[in-house]
Amino acid sequence: MKLLDVPDHARHANMRLVLPLLVWGAWRLTRAQLSVQALNCLIHQCVELGITAFDHADIYGGYTAEAQFGQALALSPGLRAQLQLFTKCGVAAVSAARPAHQVKTFNSSADHLAACMDHSLTALGTEQLDLLMLHRPDYLMDAAETAQALDRAVASGKVRAVGVSNFSPSQVLLLRQHLQTPLAVNQIEFSLGAMQALDNGVLDQCQQLGMRPMAWSPLAGGAVLGDNDLARRLNPVLTHIAQVQACPPAAVALAWLMRCPTRVVPVLGSVRIERLRDAWRATQITLSREDWYTLWAAAAGRQLP
Ligand SMILES: NC(=O)c1ccc[n+]([C@@H]2O[C@H](COP(=O)([O-])OP(=O)(O)OC[C@H]3O[C@@H](n4cnc5c(N)ncnc54)[C@H](OP(=O)(O)O)[C@@H]3O)[C@@H](O)[C@H]2O)c1
């Protein structure tokens, strides 16, 4: 069945970057304090499971997470070739690792992006990034300059595909009108605990332009399954559907995202392999329309109008 009428330029983008069903994210990596060997083991376990794409940002772990991941990759020659490496740039955080940053800023200037990209390539120990995203919209963005920098990154072969993160629909259109390279993704906050993308036009735009949404914090940082009012509303529904589908409640919460017509790609945050195995079950179920709206109502705390 043909799900989407994808415009030609978007087909081109998808040929460049075939997104997997689930991505693993490195934001919590340094806090988990894994040894390089343990991280290497986790990467292998992810690959065996089917999670072959890894989401980074230069700033994660105070600019240390990419290098930690790169060291873990280097323990297994040949492993890099089995993976897709994504990263984000354009946030200039105050850090001992970047003494030039005296104040936190968003920076989408060509010089800053080129320097970030080179840092990420070196830290990850790779010659090419599969996807480079602008981490946050920069209110001082000169769209023509930023677009040229991204096009240059692709033309140089250092990057296969480009995307954005946390961009509004108008910010996407602004950047896109200057870009030769199609924007492949918009990585946004989206979960049963953060449903704004359903109404703010971001998912509509992804469907319209053939961009893929990636959902960050897809379990709302664990809040969807935690001890709070949202989780208490969701729990009976998640548990019931999980029993019927014979899968963990976390998989149902992720399948809810993946049921959207834009084929949302959740970016998983857990560093525990058993939880990533639970998450993978989401790829094996499809929620009915009725279950999807029942979960929406439980999350929203109100019925449909
Ligand atoms: N683009 C952006 O601006 C942006 C912003 C934030 C994040 N991100 C990306 O999104 C990724 C995921 O974000 P996230 O870590 O907030 O995602 P998440 O999957 O919503 O949250 C993961 C957290 O939930 C906890 N958790 C509790 N119960 C869980 C269960 N049953 N299954 C799985 N996890 C459970 C995990 O703990 P354990 O580790 O103990 O399992 C972990 O602390 C990040 O790594 C990063 O790549 C991007």
Side-chain angles (χ1 to χ4, degrees), residues 23-29 32 54-57 60 88 133-136 164-166 187-189 191 215-226 249-250 254 267-272 274-276 278-279:
V23 171
W24 182 82
W27 181 36
R28 299 179 192 271
L29 174 59
F54 296 82
D55 180 70
H56 293 267
Y60 288 169
K88 302 184 282 298
M133 290 164 275
L134 297 178
H135 201 155
R136 296 265 168 191
V164 292
S165 180
N166 303 302
Q187 185 178 121
I188 50 161
E189 183 178 19
S191 70
W216 61 259
S217 293
L219 298 174
V224 160
L225 303 150
L254 296 168
V267 187
L268 309 171
S270 178
V271 290
R272 300 202 222 173
E274 65 275 13
R275 284 184 162 169
L276 298 175
D278 283 355

Side-chain angles (χ1 to χ4, degrees), residues 74-121:
L75 292 183
S76 301
L79 183 56
R80 162 65 184 105
Q82 299 175 51
L83 312 182
Q84 289 180 316
L85 296 180
F86 304 165
T87 199
K88 302 184 282 298
C89 62
V91 175
V94 177
S95 162
R98 296 289 185 279
H101 302 168
Q102 293 295 310
V103 173
K104 183 173 188 180
T105 60
F106 297 156
N107 190 341
S108 60
S109 68
D111 286 350
H112 183 76
L113 297 185
C116 291
M117 182 179 65
D118 286 341
H119 269 122
S120 293
L121 286 165

Side-chain angles (χ1 to χ4, degrees), residues 171-194:
Q171 288 161 340
V172 166
L173 290 182
L174 172 63
L175 182 63
R176 186 175 172 268
Q177 77 175 13
H178 295 282
L179 267 170
Q180 307 283 324
T181 316
L183 286 172
V185 304
N186 192 358
Q187 185 178 121
I188 50 161
E189 183 178 19
F190 186 36
S191 70
L192 280 162

